[in-house]
Amino acid sequence: AGGRRPMEYAMAEAESRSETLIASAADRTALRTRHLLAAAQIVFGLSHGSLLITLSMALGVGATSWWLVFLPVWLGNFLCMVLLVFSWFASCSYVHQCLNQGQARLGESATTNNPSILTELFPQVIMAMFGLVFVLLALVAEILLCRYLDRGQRGESRTLVPSALFFILVSLLATCRGICINANAELFCFLGAGCLVSFTAALCVPGEPFVDSAWIFVLPQLASAFGLLVSACLRLRRAKRVLTREERILRVVEQLMLIGLLAALGLLLWALAPAGAHHQSSASSAGAAAGCLICLIAALRARMAVVESRHSLVRNRLLDCEASGRASGTGRETRMMV
C-alpha cells in the first residue's frame, strides 16, 4: 500500500501536467484565426499595391504581356485563399478545449486575451468563408479585366461589361461589409464605394475608358483616400487614451503615408486629365509612388496587428475605459448622496 501511494501521486501529477500542456496548446491556437484573417487582408493590400506598381512600369515600358503585369494579384489572391481556408481550422484545438470545459472562453475574461468562441471566433470563421467568396469574385473580375486589356493589345474586339459587372458586385459586397460590421468598416466602405463609382462611370463614358477616360478610375480613389485619412485622424483622436506609445506612433505614420498617397493620386489624376496632352512619364511615376505607398500602409497595418495582439483589441480597451468611467462616475454620485 505504501508503494502504491507514491505511484498514485506520480500518475496524478502526470495527468495534471498533461492537462496543463493541452490547455497551453489550446491557448496558443486561440488567436490563430484572427491572425490569419488579418494576414489575408494585408496580403490582399500588398498584392494590389504591387499591381499598381507593375501597371505603372508597363505604362512606362510599353508593350508587355498583361497576364505577366497582373502576376502580383494572381499570387496574392491564391495566398489569400489559402490563408482564409486555413483560418477555418486554425483554432480547432482551442474550440475543443472550450467545449470540453463547457466554457465559451478559456480563462477569466478580465485577465485573458482569449476570444469567446460564440461572440468572436465563430463569427470570424463565418466571415472567413464569405471572405473566400469575395476573393474568388475579385479574382474572376481581374481575370476578365486582364483578358479585356490583352484583347485590346492584340487589336481584337472587346467589351468591358463582364469585368465591370463583377467589379461592381465585389464593390457592393465590400461596401455592405463595411456598413454592417464595425471592424475596419471605413476601409471596406471607402474602397468599395470608390471601386463602385469607378466601374459604374466606366460603363457610362463613350469610347475606351482605359484610353480616353482613364482619369475616371483615379478620381474616386482620390476621394476614398481622403475619406480614409479623415477616418484615421478621428480614430486616433477617439482611441488615443487607450493606445500604447508605439500604437500612437504607428497611427501617426499611417496618416503621413495617406497624405503622401493623396499627393501621388492627385499627380496621377493631373497626368491623366482630359484637358491638354497626357503626361505618360508623370503618370507612370505617380502610379508607382501610389503603389509603393499602398504596400507600405499594408506593411504598417501588419505591424499594428502584431502590436495589438500583445494586448486586447483597441475596441475592447475603449469599452473597458468607458465602463470604468461610468463606474467611477456612479461611485462619486453615491458618495455625494451620502
Side-chain angles (χ1 to χ4, degrees), residues 228-266:
L228 287 174
L229 176 61
V230 172
S231 66
C233 294
L234 294 175
R235 190 171 63 249
L236 176 60
R237 182 180 178 183
R238 184 173 63 252
K240 189 174 181 179
R241 64 184 184 275
V242 299
L243 297 176
T244 64
R245 183 172 179 271
E246 184 177 2
E247 286 175 322
R248 288 196 297 270
I249 291 173
L250 288 172
R251 280 159 173 75
V252 171
V253 173
E254 181 191 27
Q255 292 174 24
L256 294 175
M257 289 185 179
L258 285 170
I259 292 172
L261 181 60
L262 275 173
L265 290 175

Side-chain angles (χ1 to χ4, degrees), residues 26 73 259 287 313 315:
V73 293
I259 292 172
L313 294 174
R315 62 175 179 269

Side-chain angles (χ1 to χ4, degrees), residues 9-25:
Y9 287 152
M11 291 177 64
E13 185 178 353
E15 290 179 1
S16 176
R17 190 180 300 114
S18 176
E19 291 176 358
T20 302
L21 289 173
I22 292 172
S24 177

Side-chain angles (χ1 to χ4, degrees), residues 53-331:
I53 295 173
T54 56
L55 282 171
S56 302
M57 292 172 61
L59 183 63
V61 171
T64 186
S65 171
W66 285 108
W67 298 99
L68 186 61
V69 170
F70 275 70
L71 181 61
V73 293
W74 309 147
L75 299 176
N77 286 338
F78 174 75
L79 183 54
C80 273
M81 290 187 284
V82 171
L83 291 171
L84 289 169
V85 171
F86 271 109
S87 71
W88 301 349
F89 316 102
S91 298
C92 283
S93 177
Y94 176 75
V95 173
H96 181 69
Q97 190 69 12
C98 287
L99 295 177
N100 283 344
Q101 296 188 14
Q103 298 178 356
R105 184 199 311 265
L106 289 183
E108 295 294 333
S109 59
T111 59
T112 183
N113 197 26
N114 290 339
S116 166
I117 61 174
L118 295 178
T119 61
E120 296 177 71
L121 195 53
F122 286 166
Q124 287 171 359
V125 172
I126 293 172
M127 288 309 303
M129 294 178 180
F130 283 113
L132 180 63
V133 175
F134 175 85
V135 175
L136 283 171
L137 290 173
L139 179 61
V140 172
E142 286 157 355
I143 290 173
L144 292 173
L145 177 61
C146 187
R147 180 173 174 268
Y148 166 83
L149 294 171
D150 184 62
R151 289 175 68 90
Q153 188 181 51
R154 289 182 289 148
E156 300 177 5
S157 62
R158 58 180 181 170
T159 176
L160 185 63
V161 173
S163 175
L165 291 178
F166 269 93
F167 272 111
I168 289 171
L169 176 59
V170 170
S171 304
L172 288 172
L173 289 176
T175 307
C176 291
R177 190 270 185 206
I179 293 172
C180 297
I181 299 176
N182 191 37
N184 292 323
E186 68 284 347
L187 183 67
F188 286 92
C189 278
F190 286 122
L191 295 183
C195 186
L196 176 64
V197 173
S198 295
F199 281 92
T200 303
L203 292 177
C204 299
V205 297
E208 296 288 346
F210 283 96
V211 177
D212 306 318
S213 309
W215 62 273
I216 65 172
F217 294 97
V218 182
L219 183 59
Q221 308 313 319
L222 184 65
S224 297
F226 179 75
L228 287 174
L229 176 61
V230 172
S231 66
C233 294
L234 294 175
R235 190 171 63 249
L236 176 60
R237 182 180 178 183
R238 184 173 63 252
K240 189 174 181 179
R241 64 184 184 275
V242 299
L243 297 176
T244 64
R245 183 172 179 271
E246 184 177 2
E247 286 175 322
R248 288 196 297 270
I249 291 173
L250 288 172
R251 280 159 173 75
V252 171
V253 173
E254 181 191 27
Q255 292 174 24
L256 294 175
M257 289 185 179
L258 285 170
I259 292 172
L261 181 60
L262 275 173
L265 290 175
L267 178 59
L268 181 60
L269 180 64
W270 169 79
L272 298 175
H278 291 217
H279 303 272
Q280 184 171 331
S281 60
S282 299
S284 178
S285 301
C292 290
L293 285 166
I294 290 171
C295 291
L296 288 173
I297 291 171
L300 197 66
R301 291 238 168 183
R303 180 59 187 172
M304 288 181 189
V306 170
V307 174
E308 189 174 11
S309 68
R310 297 172 183 168
H311 312 279
S312 62
L313 294 174
V314 173
R315 62 175 179 269
N316 292 342
R317 280 180 262 169
L318 284 171
L319 290 173
D320 292 340
C321 183
E322 292 173 1
S324 62
R326 286 196 296 268
S328 61
T330 304

